[in-house]
Amino acid sequence: GDSVTQMEGPVTLSEEAFLTINCTYTATGYPSLFWYVQYPGEGLQLLLKATKADDKGSNKGFEATYRKETTSFHLEKGSVQVSDSAVYFCALSAKGESGGSNYKLTFGKGTLLTVNP
Amino acid sequence: GAGVSQSPSNKVTEKGKDVELRCDPISGHTALYWYRQSLGQGLEFLIYFQGNSAPDKSGLPSDRFSAERTGGSVSTLTIQRTQQEDSAVYLCASSRVWTFSEAFFGQGTRLTVV
């Protein structure tokens, strides 16, 4: 079945540090890939997405590139801020086992990021 | 509606009681998910509805858990004979059926079993 593996946290960084959160996946066919973010006390929201190989998703200074050859979608940011402290989830959308139009989202376990001033 | 709506936002119940959690997805979204998020844990998939297809119930932790989706819209997650380990935030999400469509999440229902 489909699966998403992301680096275990927690990750603690100082403000303006470089961030990488690794994410790899297994899926049949050509999935779409997503990063979601959950800020403290808030619901999950989409951060960025990529729908085909070599696409780069970007938002709020975060980037992730869909790498089919390494089945990866690592999240990066050049200079993190305290306000980036949150839990980050990698996810994929791929056809379910019954195929057809049955697309199902699969999430990783999440990575807690804490940015200190 | 404008977003995914869940009710109640908070529920405290006594051990052994049954509870029902409700989810109103975004209009036009045919896919609906239930997830559970325990304190400090990631997302635990529970159940997935897609149109008229048979739901994927592979994530339901026990037969005390059940869910239905009436008319392809509103969904209810029912937990019977609640246990303390059922305490968690229950999240509902909906999406269009296309592969590139992201899921939109509700704010969740925080369930506390005492």
Side-chain angles (χ1 to χ4, degrees):
Chain A
D2 300 334
S3 67
V4 175
T5 302
Q6 58 183 105
M7 64 187 288
E8 292 190 17
V11 174
T12 303
L13 297 173
S14 297
E15 207 163 23
E16 299 183 3
F18 183 85
L19 168 71
T20 299
I21 301 178
N22 291 337
C23 171
T24 57
Y25 67 90
T26 57
T28 55
Y30 296 95
S32 292
L33 302 173
F34 307 87
W35 276 100
Y36 282 80
V37 60
Q38 186 176 34
Y39 297 105
E42 298 186 15
L44 272 96
Q45 56 188 277
L46 181 71
L47 179 61
L48 53 84
K49 67 180 181 183
T51 59
K52 60 183 186 297
D54 299 325
D55 267 2
K56 177 184 286 187
S58 61
N59 186 25
K60 299 181 180 180
F62 290 89
E63 293 183 341
T65 300
Y66 189 144
R67 300 287 188 199
K68 185 170 181 291
E69 63 276 14
T70 55
T71 61
S72 65
F73 193 54
H74 304 322
L75 182 68
E76 296 182 336
K77 187 173 185 180
S79 176
V80 293
Q81 305 300 311
V82 172
S83 57
D84 294 326
S85 297
V87 181
Y88 293 82
F89 294 90
C90 185
L92 68 83
S93 173
K95 279 190 178 181
E97 291 182 354
S98 59
S101 60
N102 187 19
Y103 290 96
K104 178 181 170 183
L105 278 163
T106 300
F107 284 83
K109 293 186 180 299
T111 302
L112 173 63
L113 169 67
T114 302
V115 180
N116 296 317
Chain B
V4 177
S5 177
Q6 292 187 246
S7 61
S9 55
N10 280 284
K11 176 72 175 178
V12 180
T13 190
E14 291 181 353
K15 178 181 172 181
K17 300 283 191 183
D18 298 351
V19 295
E20 283 190 352
L21 312 180
R22 176 188 168 101
C23 173
D24 257 298
I26 293 173
S27 178
H29 283 191
T30 58
L32 186 148
Y33 305 80
W34 283 98
Y35 291 89
R36 179 167 72 175
Q37 189 173 30
S38 303
L39 186 62
Q41 301 297 311
L43 289 171
E44 178 185 3
F45 167 75
L46 297 177
I47 189 169
Y48 166 57
F49 296 91
Q50 206 296 95
N52 294 322
S53 301
D56 178 348
K57 303 180 181 180
S58 60
L60 295 178
S62 77
D63 58 8
R64 295 187 295 106
F65 288 73
S66 63
E68 63 177 21
R69 189 177 184 191
T70 54
S73 181
V74 172
S75 178
T76 303
L77 177 69
T78 301
I79 309 173
Q80 295 178 311
R81 305 181 302 281
T82 52
Q83 303 295 314
Q84 288 187 330
E85 60 263 29
D86 299 334
S87 297
V89 176
Y90 288 82
L91 296 170
C92 177
S94 71
S95 72
R96 295 188 185 280
V97 74
W98 314 113
T99 181
F100 52 81
S101 291
E102 67 267 31
F104 293 82
F105 281 80
Q107 292 297 310
T109 294
R110 182 175 297 278
L111 175 66
T112 304
V113 182
V114 298

